[in-house]
């Protein structure tokens, strides 16, 4: 509904239509403005943008489950707010041990829950192994079995439900049922449906923390912390499959496992909950066992019913009180026979049986009295048991009632236990199976590889890396076959501004790159995981083995290199072209063999420079030199082929294998009268290799700089880049000769295309036609994307799409062999990937990720400059056991790095972890020495008269950020006890460290300031110290700390900051103190102090202002006036444990322990109440513990980015929005959050159906970039057009209370666009989407 009114615009009265809801919103804001008139200044209207750059690596559960297809051996990783399906791959490359090359490859991720995940289980068919004559192949009961190797793989059916379904309990009070399926094109998608949980009665209830599924998937139970229990009767898998197939296609509304629910109560606190296996022969009997605590007693509570009658026969049996030694058990394990179960306590396991005939009878088994902690320096107590797992076994009938159980302790100790119900004692086997170097929580599972393999153990670390271990046997050691990275807990971020690259990079490129900011943080706990972590985001390329030294020739430079397949399964050939000769190197697949340089190879000419090399589908190796084309077969009896080309020189060449398995060679020759384009193909005739030139040579107009070919719609298309700055296309219509097609003129400062690469077929933005992308790497460091159109009636052959400035040197581009929509490029000695989800443009740009090389054996491996690279194509895995399609061969100096490029399209955290000898607590960058100074804690034994206790001591290490991983005895890390005598200051804790440069006006000094907290008596927090050090270098240039001053304080010194020329401001207890260092006497003289309501957690200085965040009283602003600290402003709310970051325009961003981010505005003049108004507020899923500002350089476009880090490893990127920007994004966000395709788990519409942004509530000023990113990825412009122009369905979709018509919404949206982009076209939605993508660009 709208009304007509007259408004004054540019001095003239005009008539316009205003929506009544817009008028009401403006009136609410006007009333708010009236409330602010008591002050002279009006707070600005600004918004806050947040999006997640790095997600938390914490895994809460690992579940082996086939939730995609019965032939896929998948594992579900359940994180705090997302799930990931990974597939177990490997075991088919090396015949001697097919399980030595096991890996978990990520298939798909689901991260749109917008709510923490409390619990996860799997329902569906049970898996059982059957004996098989096929080694390592998985056989299961019923229709689960994998196809034998001789048969073709089973096809995927779009309407097929997998054998198992994942059920999740969300903190938003929902149950989510999720599985994945394949479409007809092979793509993987999620399908899910939700079931709401009952409303919460009390804040302490938390319904959904306990989740259990019946072993036969007949029932499910959801429990709260106490008192409440909800039971569900489930449909069978056959019933759900029939429902989906009857509908004809996958649809979430046709998929719901729940048949009926029943609410009941439990008297007490629910500790554990599991379904027991029914008695043999009774498939309808359901038994739910709960362990309940009440009035200092722990009881067994049992519910029983017949699943055929739903819950009519539900009966709660009398509770059985557990003995005192079994109170509060750690684990409840249901056994598979006789409805038995086991309780795992701290030192023992009790196996119970006979619960259906009365009180259960238990039998005890000691677990770990003889097993000490894996890290005794952490605690004198034994770690607790955290998780159990049951491996799959084949029952041969010898012991039909045996359960095999693995128990895992928090410190990584694993025990294997056999339980036989009919034996006495029932525990027949109990031994230590493994000692993992990981801190393990609930994420522990056994993966199944087949009946002839050992068990594969997978565990995720709680405070450090986890991994996969294979060869689990009492007589064999464990082999670590994979690492699961973890960088938590994340503490203390320090930024390093790298103004220039390493020396060798400058010498090679002749230029200095732009400055960039690198982030380092403390992570991990203890010796096993304590590290300084460099935070990097991009695409990972994992090293496959040791480095290979190519010698002095490679140091001087190479022309090109090409990996080639080896028929004999011994490795891969690498042909390296130098300016005057060629070298052929055999890289073995076995790590026990050394690379071998082949000085002579029959049929190849290694004494001349090679122009190109490749292989055919038949296994022939092809070498193109300046005057000949050589081909050899790797099979005996087939003589090589050498074809001399009548020309001055062959300048360029490339290969293409077409679907008919014919390999085509395209090459350019130079004659006296110019350049010509030739092509031909290889074949086997009369037992000999033959090369046949096709058609007549095609004259070219300029010197050729690059060539490429692509098979497009049944014909070969050649792309030729020239020195004249053109890209020409030639088409072979008849299969015999090329015909000139189109000439495209590149633009730019140096538009010379040095390399070309093509991508797979993509559709245009309007999906009316499609084509291929041609990616051009130019000499001036830019990449241009050209679209090769198939529909010539509407578009030219080549049209410009996008240009990206990558660097300053020539760009080399290669098509990625693992992803057809991605290219790999090299520029400024850095590797990058460009992912093209569709036609690139300003609204849909390519995703650029830097490639980070990592070494699984060296977590601190430092990225090296890459001078050249090549990638293995699809023909390489023809018998190669170590290298596959997608393997990158990178040359750094004379060193060859063999890596495996990640096939994932999304950017991810690629941490570089420099290990330290303890738990890092504080970190800072010493600019004068270009070192990172890290403070870490170590555990030491303190001897008493009759006992010994573990106390923490602090030590320091200096790290050069551009070196490899450091060890405790390395020259670049020196441990120093910075606290002096540990006997005098036992248990003293360093709270922070600061790099200080005081000056007296003439001389500048350098000091290190350390502030501590100490206990003079155990249990009393009575003091602290300020320690002042100088840094000196010894004879071998190692840094050494020299203590200059130790100042004892009556309270802990929580934080410290430098002020003015030679002053320090620090928080001592709940007092803020400023002291000035007298340079002449080298003593501090007292200046001033002021009391705080609580201790200062962070202090910073902006100009003459002193900003103090406190532990429980919020944020305060002081100013030093006439020698006194005067309070000026304070936040309106007393926030707990706040941190802050000072921004321009008198704005301060604060975070607290209640997961809130707030923006405080400092008025120019103090108010009567001295409050700083809150201009925005956001509630995040987790608390930001550190805030910092860094320079964001996205492909030579600089800006400032705000980074917020959380202790669970999550990293957010924040941005401040103007009022016009916030209104535009909030308008889009309010529409998007009502769309079930973007927010499928939202319980209720936002703002009660209002989409006009309102600033009355400060929480409304928050823009969630994660939601808008999903909006762009799942439709973007098409979804936006639909939301603006579509009228919501009254029955199934929430209606808008304002702008109900499409015309009103579109008109308002155009007004918001013009307010942000005055020069843009009113309907230019692409400009808005392009701007949103720029906000989503990562600064890391």
């Amino acid at each position: 509904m709208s009304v007509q009114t007259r408004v004054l615009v540019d001095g003239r009265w005009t008539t316009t239509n205003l929506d009544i809801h817009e008028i009401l919103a403006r009136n609410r804001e006007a009333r708010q403005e009236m409330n602010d008139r008591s002050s002279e200044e009006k707070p600005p209207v600004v918004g806050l943008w947040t999006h997640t750059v790095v997600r938390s690596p914490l895994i809460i559960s690992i579940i082996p489950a086939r939730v995609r297809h019965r032939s896929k051996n998948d594992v579900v990783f359940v994180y705090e707010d997302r799930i990931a399906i990974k597939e177990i791959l490997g075991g088919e490359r090396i015949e001697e041990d097919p399980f030595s090359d096991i890996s978990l490859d990520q298939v798909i991720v689901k991260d749109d829950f917008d709510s923490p995940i409390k619990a996860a289980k799997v329902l569906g068919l049970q898996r059982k192994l059957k004996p098989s004559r096929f080694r390592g192949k998985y056989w299961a009961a019923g229709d689960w079995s994998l196809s034998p190797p001789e048969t073709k793989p089973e096809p995927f059916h779009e309407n097929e439900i997998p054998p198992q379904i994942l059920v999740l309990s969300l903190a938003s009070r929902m149950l989510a049922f999720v599985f994945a399926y394949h479409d007809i094109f092979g793509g993987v998608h999620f399908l899910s449906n939700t079931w709401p949980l009952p409303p919460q009665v009390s804040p302490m209830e938390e319904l959904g923390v306990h989740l259990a599924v019946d072993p036969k998937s007949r029932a499910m139970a959801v429990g709260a912390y106490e008192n409440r229990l909800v039971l569900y009767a489930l449909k069978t898998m056959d019933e759900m499959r029939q429902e989906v197939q009857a509908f004809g296609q996958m649809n979430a509304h046709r998929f719901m496992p729940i048949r009926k629910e029943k609410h009941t109560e439990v008297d007490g606190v629910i500790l554990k909950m599991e379904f027991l296996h029914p008695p043999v022969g009774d498939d309808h009997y359901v038994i739910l066992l709960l362990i309940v605590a009440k009035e200092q007693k722990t009881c067994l509570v049992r519910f029983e019913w017949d699943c055929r009658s739903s819950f009519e026969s539900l009966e709660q049996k009398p509770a059985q009180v557990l003995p005192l030694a079994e109170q509060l058990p750690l684990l409840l394990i249901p056994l598979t026979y006789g409805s038995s179960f086991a309780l795992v306590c701290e030192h023992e396991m009790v196996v119970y049986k006979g619960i259906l005939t009365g009180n259960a009878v238990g039998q005890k088994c000691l677990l770990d009295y003889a097993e000490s902690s894996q890290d005794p320096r952490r605690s004198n107590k034994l770690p607790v048991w955290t998780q159990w797992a049951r491996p799959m076994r084949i029952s041969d009938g010898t012991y039909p009632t045996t359960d095999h159980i693995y128990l895992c302790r928090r410190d990584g100790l694993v025990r294997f236990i056999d339980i036989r119900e009919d034996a006495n004692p029932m525990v027949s086997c109990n031994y230590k199976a493994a000692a993992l170097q990981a801190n393990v929580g609930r994420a522990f599972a056994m993966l199944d590889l087949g009946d002839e393999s050992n068990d594969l153990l997978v565990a995720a670390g709680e405070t450090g890396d986890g991994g996969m271990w294979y060869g689990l046997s009492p007589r064999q050691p464990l082999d670590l076959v994979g690492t699961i990275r973890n960088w938590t807990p994340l503490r203390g971020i320090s930024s390093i501004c790298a103004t220039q690259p390493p020396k060798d990079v400058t010498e090679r490129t002749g230029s200095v790159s732009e400055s960039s900011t690198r982030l380092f943080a403390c992570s991990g706990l203890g010796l096993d995981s304590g590290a300084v972590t460099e935070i990097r985001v991009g695409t990972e390329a994992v090293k496959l083995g040791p480095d290979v030294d190519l010698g002095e020739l490679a140091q001087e430079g190479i022309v090109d290199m090409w990996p080639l397949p080896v028929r004999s399964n011994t490795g891969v050939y690498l042909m390296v072209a130098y300016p005057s000769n060629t070298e052929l190197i055999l890289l073995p697949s076995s790590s026990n063999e050394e690379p071998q340089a082949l000085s002579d190879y029959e049929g190849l000419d290694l004494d001349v420079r090679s122009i190109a090399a490749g292989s055919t589908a038949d296994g022939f190796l092809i070498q193109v030199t300046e005057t000949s084309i050589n081909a050899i077969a790797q099979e005996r009896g087939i003589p090589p082929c050498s074809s001399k080309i009548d020309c001055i020189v062959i300048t360029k060449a490339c290969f293409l294998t077409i679907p008919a398995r014919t390999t085509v060679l395209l090459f350019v020759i130079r004659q006296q009268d110019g350049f010509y384009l030739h092509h031909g193909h290889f074949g086997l005739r009369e037992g000999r290799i033959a090369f046949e030139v096709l058609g007549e040579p095609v004259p070219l107009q300029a010197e050729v700089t690059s060539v490429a070919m692509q098979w497009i719609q049944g014909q070969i298309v050649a792309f030729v880049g020239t020195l004249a700055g053109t890209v020409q296309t030639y088409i072979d219509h008849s299969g015999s000769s090329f015909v000139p097609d189109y000439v495209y003129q590149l633009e730019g400062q140096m538009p010379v295309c040095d390399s070309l690469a093509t991508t797979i077929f993509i559709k245009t933005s309007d999906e009316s036609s499609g084509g291929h992308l041609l990616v051009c790497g130019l000499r001036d460091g830019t990449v241009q994307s050209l679209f090769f159109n198939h529909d010539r009636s509407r578009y030219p052959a080549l049209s410009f799409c996008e240009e990206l400035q990558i660097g300053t040197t020539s760009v080399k581009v290669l098509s990625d062999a693992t992803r057809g929509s991605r290219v790999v490029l090299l520029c400024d000695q850095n590797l990058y990937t460009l992912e093209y989800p569709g036609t690139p443009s300003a609204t849909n740009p390519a995703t650029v990720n830097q490639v980070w090389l990592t070494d699984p054996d060296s977590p601190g491996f430092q990225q090296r400059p890459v001078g050249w690279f090549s990638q293995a194509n699809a023909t390489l895995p023809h018998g190669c056991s170590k290298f596959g399609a997608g393997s990158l061969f990178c040359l750094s100096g004379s060193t060859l790095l063999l890596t495996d490029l990640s096939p994932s399209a999304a950017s991810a955290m690629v941490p570089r972890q420099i290990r330290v000898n303890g738990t890092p607590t504080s970190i800072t960058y010493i600019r004068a020495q270009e070192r990172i100074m890290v403070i870490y804690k170590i555990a030491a034994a303190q001897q008493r008269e009759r006992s010994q206790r573990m106390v923490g001591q602090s030590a320091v290490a200096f790290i050069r950020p551009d070196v490899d991983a450091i060890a405790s005895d390395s020259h670049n890390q020196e441990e120093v006890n910075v606290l002096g005598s540990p006997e005098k200051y036992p248990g003293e804790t360093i709270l922070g460290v600061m790099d200080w440069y005081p000056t007296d006006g003439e001389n500048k000094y350098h000091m290190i300031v350390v502030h501590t907290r100490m206990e003079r008596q155990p249990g009393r927090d009575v003091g602290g110290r300020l320690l002042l050090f100088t840094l000196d270098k010894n004879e071998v240039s190692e840094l050494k700390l020299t203590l200059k001053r130790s100042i004892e304080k009556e309270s802990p010194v929580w934080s410290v900051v430098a002020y003015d020329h030679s002053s320090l401001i620090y928080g001592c207890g709940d007092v803020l103190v400023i002291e000035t260092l007298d340079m002449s006497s080298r003593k501090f003289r007292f200046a001033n102090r002021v009391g705080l309501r609580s201790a200062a957690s962070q202090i910073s200085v902006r100009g003459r202002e002193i900003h103090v965040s406190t532990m429980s009283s919020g944020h305060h602003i002081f100013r030093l006036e006439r020698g006194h600290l005067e309070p000026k402003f304070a936040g309106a709310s007393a926030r707990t444990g706040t941190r802050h970051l000072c921004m321009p325009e008198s704005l301060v961003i604060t975070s607290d322990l209640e997961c809130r981010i707030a923006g405080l505005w400092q008025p120019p003049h103090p108010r009567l109440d001295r409050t700083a108004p809150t201009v925005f507020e956001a509630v995040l899923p987790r608390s930001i513990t550190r805030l910092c500002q860094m320079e964001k350089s996205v492909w030579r476009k600089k800006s400032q980015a705000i980074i917020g880090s959380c202790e669970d490893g999550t990293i957010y990127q924040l941005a401040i929005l103007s009022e016009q920007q916030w209104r535009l994004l909030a308008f889009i966000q309010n529409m998007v959050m009502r769309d079930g395709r973007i927010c499928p788990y939202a319980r209720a519409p936002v703002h009660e159906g209002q989409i006009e942004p309102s600033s009355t509530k400060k929480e409304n000023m928050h823009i969630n970039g994660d939601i808008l990113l999903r909006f762009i990825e799942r439709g973007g412009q098409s979804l936006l057009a639909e939301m603006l122009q579509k009228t919501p369905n009254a029955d199934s979709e929430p209606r808008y209370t304002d702008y109900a018509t499409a015309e009103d919404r579109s008109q308002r949206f155009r007004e918001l666009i013009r307010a942000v982009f005055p020069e843009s076209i009113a309907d230019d939605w692409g400009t808005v989407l392009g701007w949103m993508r720029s906000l989503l660009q990562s600064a890391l």
Side-chain angles (χ1 to χ4, degrees), residues 1026 1049-1050 1055-1057 1063-1076 1085-1092 1099 1106 1125:
L1026 267 178
K1049 299 295 180 180
E1050 66 279 1
S1055 54
V1056 64
V1057 71
S1063 299
L1064 288 179
I1065 300 177
Y1066 57 90
C1068 183
D1070 54 0
V1071 177
L1072 185 67
V1073 183
I1074 179 171
E1075 292 185 351
T1076 302
R1085 51 184 176 84
F1086 175 78
N1088 194 259
R1089 63 170 60 197
V1090 64
L1092 302 172
I1099 308 174
I1106 302 162
L1125 288 170

Side-chain angles (χ1 to χ4, degrees), residues 1011-1027:
H1011 52 100
T1012 74
R1013 170 186 178 272
M1014 63 181 179
E1015 296 180 1
R1016 292 195 179 122
Q1017 296 180 7
R1020 287 190 174 185
D1021 190 9
V1022 294
R1025 285 199 296 166
L1026 267 178
L1027 305 173

Side-chain angles (χ1 to χ4, degrees), residues 713-955:
Q713 293 186 341
Q715 55 192 6
I716 301 175
V717 180
F719 302 95
V720 179
T722 69
L723 196 60
T726 62
V727 175
Q728 304 174 12
T729 61
Y730 299 84
I731 299 180
D732 183 359
H733 295 283
S734 60
S736 60
S737 61
F738 278 114
V739 177
D741 178 52
Y742 190 79
V743 178
Y744 179 87
Q745 180 66 50
L746 298 170
E747 296 181 357
Q749 296 180 352
M750 194 179 295
V752 178
C753 181
D754 283 337
S755 64
L756 291 168
T758 58
T759 67
I760 61 173
F761 174 85
I762 59 174
K763 289 188 176 181
T764 56
S765 57
D766 57 3
E767 297 191 357
S768 60
S769 62
H772 288 72
L773 277 178
L774 180 66
V775 185
C776 308
L778 304 189
R779 194 165 291 181
D780 61 355
T782 62
V783 172
Q784 288 193 16
S785 303
L786 307 179
F787 189 69
F788 182 77
N789 297 285
H790 294 178
D791 185 5
R792 299 299 179 83
S793 62
R794 300 178 57 187
Y795 306 99
L798 287 177
S799 58
F800 176 80
C801 293
E802 182 187 29
E803 181 180 64
L804 293 173
Q805 183 73 46
I806 304 298
T808 58
T809 61
S810 178
V811 182
K812 179 187 178 182
V813 184
L814 281 182
S815 300
D816 189 5
T818 59
R819 294 186 60 84
S821 59
R822 186 171 72 175
V823 298
V824 186
L825 58 92
L826 174 67
C827 183
D828 288 346
Q829 298 195 333
N830 290 318
L831 286 172
Y832 303 92
T833 61
L834 270 70
E835 178 77 24
Y836 294 93
T839 309
S841 61
T843 63
N844 188 30
T847 302
V848 188
N849 289 320
Q850 185 166 354
V851 176
W852 298 103
L853 308 182
T854 62
D855 188 348
D857 298 325
S858 178
F861 178 81
Q862 170 62 9
Q863 181 86 355
R864 301 178 186 176
V866 179
W868 200 255
F869 84 101
S870 184
Q871 190 183 32
N873 57 28
T875 62
L876 191 59
H878 188 83
C880 178
S881 59
K882 183 177 182 180
F883 313 102
S887 297
L888 285 182
F889 298 77
C890 306
L891 186 65
S892 177
S894 62
T895 303
L896 182 66
L897 307 175
L898 315 175
T899 66
D900 186 19
L901 183 65
S902 170
S904 175
S907 62
M909 172 77 163
V910 188
R912 174 187 169 223
Q913 295 181 318
I914 305 172
R915 300 296 187 190
V916 297
N917 283 338
T919 301
T921 58
S922 184
I923 185 175
T924 190
Y925 181 60
I926 310 298
R927 290 185 288 110
Q929 303 294 339
E930 295 184 349
R931 304 287 180 92
I932 296 174
M933 180 178 175
V934 55
I935 304 295
Y936 60 96
K937 294 189 68 174
I938 57 176
Q942 185 181 40
Q943 190 66 40
R944 294 185 176 181
E945 295 181 358
R946 297 183 179 180
S947 63
Q948 187 182 44
R949 74 163 184 164
M950 306 299 295
V951 295
Q953 294 182 6
S954 295

Side-chain angles (χ1 to χ4, degrees), residues 32 104 121 150 261 445 558 578 602 611 782 829 853 978 1100 1125 1135 1196 1247:
Q32 181 66 31
L104 282 178
K121 293 288 184 180
E150 297 85 357
E261 75 175 47
I558 69 170
Y578 297 104
E602 182 182 1
I611 303 301
T782 62
Q829 298 195 333
L853 308 182
V978 301
S1100 68
L1125 288 170
R1135 304 179 187 274
R1196 304 178 68 86
H1247 305 316

Side-chain angles (χ1 to χ4, degrees), residues 1075-1148:
E1075 292 185 351
T1076 302
L1077 179 63
D1078 188 348
M1079 294 300 180
S1080 59
S1081 63
R1082 303 295 176 92
K1083 293 183 179 180
F1084 281 100
R1085 51 184 176 84
F1086 175 78
N1088 194 259
R1089 63 170 60 197
V1090 64
L1092 302 172
R1093 295 181 180 179
S1094 60
S1097 56
Q1098 182 189 356
I1099 308 174
S1100 68
V1101 175
R1102 178 170 64 179
R1104 310 303 297 178
E1105 297 171 350
I1106 302 162
H1107 292 255
V1108 182
S1109 289
T1110 62
M1111 294 185 180
S1112 61
S1113 57
H1115 187 77
H1116 301 266
I1117 303 175
F1118 296 87
R1119 191 179 181 91
L1120 186 63
E1121 295 179 349
R1122 297 180 298 276
H1124 296 278
L1125 288 170
E1126 298 291 340
K1128 293 298 180 181
F1129 297 96
S1133 302
R1135 304 179 187 274
T1136 304
T1138 53
R1139 311 289 296 187
H1140 71 268
L1141 179 65
C1142 295
M1143 302 296 297
E1145 306 296 334
S1146 301
L1147 190 65
V1148 181

Side-chain angles (χ1 to χ4, degrees), residues 581-595:
N581 69 315
T582 301
E583 186 177 17
L584 188 65
I585 304 172
L586 175 61
L587 302 175
S589 58
S590 175
S591 58
N592 299 325
E593 300 179 20
E594 295 292 332

